[in-house]
Amino acid sequence: MRKVIAFLAAAGMTLAAGLPALAQDNTITIWSQFADQQPNQQKALRQIFEDYQAAHPDVKLNVRFWDKAELNPAFQAAMLAGGKGAPDIVYYETGQADWIKAGWVDNIHDTIDTSKILAGYDRNAFRDYGVPVYLLINMLFYNPEVFDKLGIKVPADNMFTEEQFDQVIKTCHAGGYSGLANAAGDRPYAGTYIPQYMLLSQFGADEYHAYWTGSKSWDNPEIRKLLETYIGWIKDGLYPSTYSSMGIDAFHLYFHTLQKSCMLALGNWYTARAFKSEDAGGQSPDFHFSFLYYPEMDGAVDPKGLITAFAGFLGEVSTGTHKDIVKDVLKFMQQPKYGAMWTQVTASPSALRYTPSDVPDSLKSDPEIAKWSWYWDEIAKVYADADYVEEQLPCGEFQDALTTVFNDSIPLGTMTLDEAIANLDAHLCPAN
Amino acid sequence: MASDFAAASLRRRAPGQMRALLWSRVTVSLVFAAVLVFTIAILIPLAWTVQMSFKTTREILIDPYAMPSQLRLSNYAGLFLNPSVEIQTYFLNSVMVTGGALLISLLLSTMGGYVFGRMRFEFRGRKVFFYVLLFAVMLPPQIYYIPQYQMMAAMGLNNSQWSLILLYAAHSLPVSVYLMSTYFSQLPGELEDAAIIDGCNDWELFWQVMLPLARPAMTTIIILNALYFWNELLLAITVITDPSKRTLPAAIFNFIGELGSNFGGAAASLVVSMLPILVLYLFLSRRLIQGLTAGAVKG
Amino acid sequence: MSDLSANAPKKAMPRHRAGRASPLWIAAFLVPVFGYYLTFTVYPLAMTFFNTLFKSTPEGGQLITRFVGFGNYQRLFSDGIFLGNAVPNTLIWGLVGTVIDVVTAVLLALLIYFRLPLHNIFRVLWFTPVLLSGVIVGVVFRWVFNFDWGLLNACLRAVHLDMLAVDWLGRVDTPLMAVIAVHWWHSFGYSFVIVLAGLSAIPRELLEAAYIDGCTRRDAVFAIILPLLRPTLITVIVLSFIGKMRAFDVVWALTRGGPAHHSETVATYLQKRAFDPLLSGLDLGYPSTIAVVWFGVVVAGVLIFNYRASRAGMT
C-alpha cells in the first residue's frame, strides 16, 4: 500500500510540468473544423497558415483541428468563462448565428473584401463576420452503372418528373437497390434533402424559404399533396432498410463501394469523405458517378434550383488580444490563389473567386488531384444551367422539429401525415 | 474447500438420496452450460472489437464479422505515430490525472470516513454533514460542469491537468467517503482505547492504527475511482482543449468524430485504453473482493 | 443508505475509556474534506441553483442575462419533450433497469458464492464490461443493433426468428429497450461485485448448519441469505437507480436520445439544452432548471425508498 501511495505521489508531483505556460507574444490560436479524418482540408489550411508565417516570421499561428461536435461546446464554455482558453480565430457555420448575436465573433466589415468572394456573399447574413471557407451545394448523385444495369434512362436535361422519379425508385427497389443511400444513423439532416427540394421545385425560392424557416403554417392542401407524394416514394423504397442505423461513413460506402443504392442526396462535401484512400473508407477513383437535378414536381416553379450556402467561416473572436494580426491573417486568406488551391486540394469549391491562371503549377500536374478531374467535368456538364438558391436556416426549435419529422420519423413510417404537420406547426418560429 | 455443488454433505446424507444427488449433478451441468453461454454472449462485443482493431476501416464497413485477412497493426501504429498528438501523450495525461485525483481522493475520503465512521467523533449534526456530502451524487453531472469550468478558468487552471484532478477528486468524494465511513464504522469500537491510553493523539491514531486496517476498503476505492477517472469523458473534453494535455477518452472520441470515423483506429484505441484498467483489475481483483468482503459495502 | 446509528452498539457497553474526541480534532479531520467539497462541488451547485432564476439571450452583440424568477420552471412544466419523453423514459429505465440489474446481480453472485465450477474465472470476466468507456460501448452496440448486418439480427435470423429482427434503433418503442439493455451490459458487473461482497460476509457455518438440518439450498437462499443480504440489496438498489437517473455516455453514443426523442433521457435532454446549437440558445438558466428539478425528483425517490425500506425493517 505504501508503494502504491508513493507511486501516486510521484505521479502527482510530475504535474509541476502541467501548470500552464504563459501565452507567448504574437501567437495566434486558431480553432478549425476538419479533424483528423479530413486530411485534404487540413492540408489546404495548413498551407495558407504556413505561407503566412513565412511572410511574417514574428507571428506564430497555432492551429488546432477539431470535430465540430467538440468545437462548439468547447468554444461556448470558453466564452461563457469570459474568454479564458478561447482562441483568436474560430471556425463556425450557419448554425452558430447565436455566437454573433452574443457578440462572441466580431464585426470585421473592413477586413472582408466581397470582391474577392463569390457573388452573393454581400447579401449574406454572415457577410461582416467571417471569411467563408467553401461553398456548399446540395446535389443529387447517381450511380450510372446501376442505372444501366436496371435499364434506367436519364433524360437529356438530367431531370426526372415526379412520376418518372417514382418509377426509378420502384425499378431500383425491384432490382434489390435502395433509391437513396441516405441514412440517419448519426446525422440529423439525411432525410431532409428530398422534402426541401420538393418544396423548392414546387413553390419556388420564396415560398420554400417561408416553409422551411418556420414562418408559415404547413397545414394546407398543396403541402399535404406534396408530402403524400413523398410518403409514396418512401413506401416504394426510397431509403435503405438500414436507414436508422447506418452512420455517415457507412452510407458513403453503401453508395460508392458496396454500390447498393441508385442515388445519394448530399452536399458537395461528399468529396471530403470519399476522395481519400480506400483503406480509410474512401472511394475508388474509377467510380465515376454523375449528377441529376432533383425531381421536377408537377407545375414546378423552380425545377432547376440548387440549394447552396456559404458554409464554414473563420472569424475573429471578441476576446482575443492580437486583433490586428488576426485581421491581417483573415485578409491574407482571401487571395485568389488560395481559392484555387483549396478547390484543387480538397475537391470542394472554395468560396473565393479565382481564375484558372491562379492555380499553382505544382497542383496542375499533381496526379492525386488529376485523378478526380472527371468530377468537375460532370458537375460543369450537368449543372450548367442551375439556379442557385441560398439556404436559410430556421430558429432552433423549428429546425429540431424538422429533424424530428423529416429525419427521424417520416422515412421510418413512425409518424402519420397529420402528426407531422401538427408537430411542425407547433414549433413555428416567432416572427422576427 | 470442496465446492458446495459437489455436495460436501454427501457423506452426511443417507444412501437412499443418491438419486437426488445425480439430479443435482445434472442441474449443475445445465446451470454451468447456461452460464457459459451467457458469459460468451457478454464477451462477444469485446471480442469483436478486438478483432476490428486489426482490420482497416474499409474492411470493417464491408464485412464486420470476417476474420481479418491479415493481422494488421496499422491501426495501432497510427495511434502511436500520429503526428498531431501521439497516443502516448494522452496515455500519460490519463495516468497523471488519475494518479493525482486518486491521491487527493484517498486522503480526503479516509479522513472523512474516519470522522463519520468512528463513534468517538459523534457530534450533534454529524449526520447532517454526512447527508450534505452525499446529496451531490444524485445530480446529473453535466450541470455543474459550466460553473466548475468557470471556476477553473478563474483560477487559471483550464488547460492544465490540475483542473481535472481537482474536479475528479471532488466528484468522487461522496461515494468514497460513504464507503470509508461504512468500513470504519464496522471496526471494533475498542480499537482506539489502547492507543489513546498510551498517549497517542488522533493524528497518530489515524495514520498508524486506522489506515493500515483500512487497506481493503482503500483498495476498493482505488479501483472504483480509477475506473471512473480513467474513462471520464465529458469534463475531460470541456475543461481541457489543448490536445497535448488531454486524456485517453478524448483520443477515442476523436476517432469517432464528426467526419470520417476511423473505426479501425477507434477499436485500437479502445483496446489500448482498456488494457491498463484490465491489468490493474487483474492485479487487484482479489484484494478488491477481500476489501468489499471485509464489509466495506455491507450497507 | 444506511442509518449511521444502526452501527451503534445496541446493548449497554462498558464505557470507552478513550472517550469522545476533542472538537479540535473533529474539525481537523472534517474541515479539509468539507472545505474541499464546499469549494469544488457545493459552490458550483449553488451557482447552478442560482442560474435557474435567470435566462440568457444573445442579442445585439451581447449575451444579455435577465432575471426571470420562476419563469424557467414554468417553461419546464409545459415542455413537451421533457414531460413527454425525457421524464417517462428515464423513470421507466430507472425502475425496469434497476430490477433487471439487481436480479441478475443477485443470481450471478449466488452462483459464485456457491462455487460454480470455474467461478474464479467467471467472476473476473463478468466485470470486464464495466472497465470500458461508455462512449465505446455505445458505438459498438450501435453496430450490434444494425438492422442489416448487426450482430443481434444476424443471430436472430440464423435461428429463424426473423420476425424479431427489427429495426431496433429506428422504431418508436425499441430504442429505449436498446438503451436499457446496453446500459445493463455495461454496468451489471458493478452491482454483481457489490452483491458478491455482501454475500461473502455471510459466514458459511450458517449454511453448513442448515444443510445438516436437512435444508435444501433453495430454502437456505430464501430463509438465510436474502434476509442477511438486505442491507447490501438496499445499497445496490439505490446506487443502481441513481446511476440510471444520471447516465449519459452510453445513451449519447448509442442513440443521442433519438430517433425523434424516443430514447431521450433527462441527461441527454439536459446536454442538448446546454450545448446543442439548435436547442440551447446559449442559455444556461433553462438547463440548470432541468437539473435542479430532476435532482429533486431523484432525492425524493431515494428518500421515499429509504423510508419504505426502513419501515419494512430492512435497514
Side-chain angles (χ1 to χ4, degrees), chain A residues 30 42-61 63 328-329 331-342 345 358 360 362-363:
Chain A
I30 306 173
Q42 287 188 27
K43 192 165 144 205
L45 284 179
R46 275 193 219 278
Q47 181 68 53
I48 299 177
F49 298 137
E50 273 164 23
D51 285 354
Y52 185 84
Q53 285 177 113
H56 299 83
D58 57 328
V59 175
K60 186 163 175 348
L61 295 180
V63 60
D328 204 33
V329 173
K331 264 212 191 90
F332 186 83
M333 291 184 66
Q334 292 172 59
Q335 297 176 62
K337 65 177 180 182
Y338 291 128
M341 188 265 292
W342 174 275
V345 170
D358 290 310
S362 55
L363 292 179

Side-chain angles (χ1 to χ4, degrees), chain B residues 47-77:
Chain B
W48 189 36
T49 311
V50 171
Q51 183 211 54
M52 279 200 295
S53 69
F54 294 115
K55 296 158 71 164
T56 65
T57 304
R58 191 159 173 274
E59 282 175 345
I60 293 170
L61 286 171
I62 291 179
D63 186 352
Y65 301 115
M67 286 305 286
S69 50
Q70 53 179 122
L71 275 183
R72 295 168 201 268
L73 291 180
S74 54
N75 291 321
Y76 290 97

Side-chain angles (χ1 to χ4, degrees), chain B residues 120-185:
Chain B
R120 38 197 317 275
F121 288 102
E122 175 75 56
F123 62 91
R124 212 175 19 189
R126 179 171 76 158
K127 229 192 287 184
V128 172
F129 276 94
F130 189 64
Y131 283 130
V132 167
L133 200 62
L134 286 180
F135 88 114
V137 84
M138 301 195 215
L139 211 74
Q142 297 108 298
I143 200 51
Y144 37 72
Y145 283 2
I146 293 286
Q148 281 178 337
Y149 175 82
Q150 289 170 320
M151 262 184 80
M152 290 295 122
M155 291 165 76
L157 285 178
N158 57 308
N159 273 327
S160 156
Q161 293 91 332
W162 274 107
S163 56
L164 286 184
I165 291 175
L166 294 174
L167 293 178
Y168 283 173
H171 284 199
S172 74
L173 269 190
V175 175
S176 304
V177 168
Y178 174 66
L179 289 177
M180 289 305 306
S181 72
T182 316
Y183 183 76
F184 276 129
S185 66

